[in-house]
Amino acid sequence: MNVGKHLKDIRMAKKISTYELSEITGISQPVISKLENNNRKADIETLEKICEALGITLVDFFSTDEEEMPPEYLRLMQNAKNLTPKQLKILNDIIENF
C-alpha cells in the first residue's frame, strides 16, 4: 500500500487542506506533506491522530478494499456512511436507475 498516496486521497476526498489537517492534529504541515509524498514514514501514533481527524479508524485506513479507490469514490462512500437506512435505499435506487 502506498500510505502517502492513500492518506492524500482520503484527505482530498474529505476536502481538508494540509493546513486544516495540521491545525486539527497538531502535526506540522511540512510533516503532513512529507508523509503524503512518501518522504517520511508515519508511526502509528501519527497515523492515529490523522485518522481521527479524518473521521476514520486505522482499520478503515488500511482496508485493502479502498486501497486503489479514487478520491471521488472515497468521498461517496464517506457520505453514504452518514445516511439513514431510508436515505441509503433512496440513493441506491437513484444510482441503479441512473
Side-chain angles (χ1 to χ4, degrees):
M1 168 187 274
N2 183 332
V3 173
K5 180 184 179 318
H6 192 54
L7 172 59
K8 185 174 184 176
D9 288 346
I10 294 170
R11 178 184 58 76
M12 290 179 68
K14 301 235 180 215
K15 298 183 179 181
I16 297 174
S17 69
T18 55
Y19 175 80
E20 291 169 315
L21 188 57
S22 172
E23 290 290 308
I24 296 167
T25 61
I27 300 167
S28 74
Q29 189 175 7
V31 168
I32 292 170
S33 291
K34 287 179 183 178
L35 292 170
E36 289 185 353
N37 293 315
N38 291 310
N39 293 325
R40 180 179 177 143
K41 293 193 185 271
D43 56 46
I44 294 298
E45 182 181 321
T46 301
L47 276 178
E48 282 178 331
K49 285 182 186 178
I50 292 171
C51 286
E52 183 177 332
L54 295 173
I56 62 172
T57 66
L58 280 173
V59 172
D60 293 334
F61 183 83
F62 287 108
S63 172
T64 56
D65 293 346
E66 298 176 0
E67 186 172 327
E68 297 299 323
M69 198 172 287
E72 296 83 14
Y73 291 169
L74 291 172
R75 192 169 86 227
L76 181 62
M77 286 178 50
Q78 187 60 39
N79 287 333
K81 287 180 183 179
N82 296 322
L83 298 175
T84 65
K86 183 178 179 180
Q87 291 170 324
L88 190 56
K89 182 185 179 327
I90 292 169
L91 178 61
N92 280 324
D93 289 345
I94 291 169
I95 292 171
E96 289 170 2
N97 292 309
F98 192 31

